[in-house]
Amino acid sequence: MRALPPSCGPVRLVAVDGHAGSGKTTFAGRLAGALGGAPVIHLDDLATHAEPFGWAGRLREQVLEPLAAGRDTAYDVYDWTLRRFAGTAAVPVAPVVLVEGVGAGRREVRPWLARIIWMDLDATTARRRGEERDGPELAEFWVGWARAESAHFAADPSRPHAGTRVDGVTGRISPGTVGEPSTSS
């Protein structure tokens, strides 16, 4: 990742995308550790109940534009229990910054990205894993989320633009995908 050209000012912004429940957060955490503590932006912190995919403007204004200018920044964090933004998360300028979440490789973000990593796990298996993780109290949320996620990826798929694919079960990089360039279209 450090060998990629900077894509957002001095930063190599790397997206970790895939279906909800595919292992994005776990993989991003492991990758951040392997990179010596790379900052991780969690899109769940920018999404809201009302706008699960309405975070692109917040990401651009609060994170991407400051990083592109070479400035440390912070973004407002949504509290899913309180149903409002409460608190902030710091994002220092670093050689590599990860952004993880469903839609991290979306069209509006791609011009800022050095690489898209796609967590390869089918939507059905990912949903089952997510429902098991979140428990029965979020079952109703998952019904609405599944519809929103399906509509998002139908209109703006990230997987075809991924330069790296990771097996969502094993966490291993899929052979032949490490050197492929991510596209910026």
Side-chain angles (χ1 to χ4, degrees):
M1 295 296 136
R2 289 186 190 108
L4 294 168
S7 59
C8 184
V11 171
R12 290 146 190 87
L13 189 68
V14 175
V16 180
D17 202 341
H19 297 287
S22 65
K24 295 175 304 302
T25 304
T26 300
F27 182 81
R30 289 179 181 154
L31 181 56
L35 292 167
V40 180
I41 300 157
H42 301 282
L43 293 178
D44 285 351
D45 291 346
L46 291 163
T48 68
H49 282 91
E51 299 177 308
F53 290 98
W55 47 259
R58 286 187 288 279
L59 179 67
R60 185 186 66 253
E61 293 166 13
Q62 295 180 31
V63 178
L64 303 179
E65 290 172 352
L67 289 178
R71 295 190 317 267
D72 293 344
T73 190
Y75 60 90
D76 297 327
V77 174
Y78 186 74
D79 185 308
W80 287 85
T81 303
L82 298 175
R83 293 180 170 252
R84 63 179 173 83
F85 286 94
T88 59
V91 183
V93 172
V96 178
V97 174
L98 306 174
V99 57
E100 72 83 19
V102 176
R106 72 195 290 179
R107 186 178 301 113
E108 293 169 272
V109 181
R110 278 183 224 136
W112 306 88
L113 297 173
R115 171 73 51 160
I116 299 170
I117 298 171
W118 177 263
M119 299 302 295
D120 248 342
L121 190 66
D122 66 275
T124 302
T125 303
R127 180 176 175 180
R128 182 181 42 75
R129 280 176 34 174
E131 288 175 335
E132 288 171 2
R133 174 195 66 208
D134 294 344
E137 56 275 0
L138 290 179
E140 185 178 324
F141 172 80
W142 270 95
V143 171
W145 172 259
R147 281 193 302 268
E149 179 184 86
S150 179
H152 168 74
F153 282 134
D156 188 1
S158 303
R159 188 178 189 276
H161 302 280
T164 304
R165 295 193 185 117
V166 174
D167 185 293
V169 175
T170 67
R172 292 193 175 106
I173 294 171
S174 300
T177 68
V178 176
E180 295 178 16
S182 294
T183 60
S184 59
S185 59

